[in-house]
Amino acid sequence: DVDTPLAWKFTDFLTKGVLTQSTPGDGTVNAQSAEGPCRLWATTQESPVKLVPLRLGGPNHVSMLKDHAFLDAFKRVLLKDGNNCVHVDGGRARLKEEAPLCKCSLKTE
């Protein structure tokens, strides 16, 4: 969700190009450049490939690896959490094929 350079116009090989187009991305990689390999993998393997759009509000290519919103979303994908709960028990998730129950669903009142 950060303007990321996509296209430049060059007059020759010795001068700096002029930016002609920006698109959403992480400041380094454009969304369409990140999505391209995922779309290809989805057609060439049996395991499902899921594109998860993130609107992180500013983390860049490197700092997103420390962003809690990104890490929570990544964790939910890895742990197959269909409920989008950040409290999924990772130990149980790795031992089962089906999506694990979130810890919230185990609380009794």
Side-chain angles (χ1 to χ4, degrees):
D1 58 341
V2 176
D3 261 357
T4 304
L6 177 69
W8 294 262
K9 182 176 181 178
F10 296 89
T11 55
D12 58 49
F13 290 108
L14 301 175
T15 58
K16 184 176 178 179
V18 176
L19 181 64
T20 60
Q21 185 180 8
S22 292
T23 59
D26 65 9
T28 301
V29 178
N30 300 81
Q32 61 265 47
S33 296
E35 292 171 2
C38 295
R39 293 186 194 286
L40 175 65
W41 294 328
T43 65
T44 60
Q45 67 183 36
E46 288 183 32
S47 298
V49 175
K50 183 177 179 183
L51 290 169
V52 180
L54 298 174
R55 300 287 179 251
L56 300 176
N60 67 28
H61 189 70
V62 175
S63 68
M64 73 186 304
L65 298 175
K66 296 186 257 179
D67 183 82
H68 291 290
F70 168 75
L71 293 173
D72 286 344
F74 189 54
K75 176 177 152 182
R76 288 191 298 270
V77 169
L78 289 178
L79 299 179
K80 302 174 192 158
D81 176 28
N83 298 323
N84 284 332
C85 177
V86 297
H87 304 291
V88 171
D89 184 336
R92 287 195 331 222
R94 285 186 290 279
L95 297 176
K96 297 182 177 181
E97 284 296 314
E98 69 274 5
L101 292 174
C102 68
K103 290 180 182 178
C104 299
S105 67
L106 300 177
K107 291 180 182 175
T108 57
E109 298 188 21

